[in-house]
Amino acid sequence: MTSYVSSLAIDAQDPKALARFWCEVLNYRIDDEEEGFVSTTPTEGQGPRLDFLQVPEGKTVKNRLHLDIRALDSNQDAEVARVESLGAYRVDVGQTSKDSWVVLADPEGNEFCILSDPQD
């Protein structure tokens, strides 16, 4: 028997706002919404649900788990610029100038990486 990732749960102070950000980044849609909870799913294709759960505290330390994303129809530089225009910002988690990924944080400070182009 095997398992698969059904959903990722993400703590958030403002689940609606954070869900909207990630929907724009990943072309997801809001699938379910209740007080303190928002669930999103891919608009097209497959991928895990992203569930945003309201918590009272803000993020205080580096993530133990993060998303690595790659642009489907543009290059890394264009994708970084697009995601920054949505509210992401660059962060330093110890990466070097030789690393092929760019580390960003979402509006609530959760780190994620934008990977280089597959042909690089």
Side-chain angles (χ1 to χ4, degrees):
M1 256 191 183
T2 60
S3 300
Y4 68 96
V5 176
S6 173
S7 63
L8 296 171
I10 301 168
D11 290 348
Q13 288 187 298
D14 186 346
K16 290 179 187 179
L18 199 56
R20 285 192 302 270
F21 168 82
W22 281 105
C23 283
E24 287 294 318
V25 171
L26 299 173
N27 192 27
Y28 271 45
R29 64 181 169 77
I30 293 177
D31 191 47
D32 188 21
E33 188 174 337
E34 300 172 20
E35 183 65 35
F37 171 81
V38 179
S39 185
T40 65
T41 55
T43 300
E44 299 175 6
Q46 295 181 316
R49 297 171 65 98
L50 298 180
D51 294 334
F52 299 87
L53 305 128
Q54 189 168 28
V55 296
E57 69 278 355
K59 182 181 169 300
T60 58
V61 297
K62 180 180 172 287
N63 297 2
R64 299 282 308 262
L65 174 74
H66 70 267
L67 301 178
D68 284 341
I69 64 174
R70 189 182 313 263
L72 288 173
D73 54 5
S74 67
N75 64 36
Q76 182 185 40
D77 292 337
E79 186 65 0
V80 168
R82 182 184 78 85
V83 174
E84 285 178 322
S85 77
L86 297 172
Y89 55 94
R90 292 176 188 245
V91 294
D92 182 357
V93 296
Q95 69 272 27
T96 70
S97 60
K98 294 179 182 180
D99 292 329
S100 63
W101 55 86
V102 176
V103 182
L104 299 172
D106 69 20
E108 290 204 14
N110 301 299
E111 298 92 4
F112 64 98
C113 296
I114 297 185
L115 304 178
S116 63
D117 305 330
Q119 59 272 18
D120 288 349

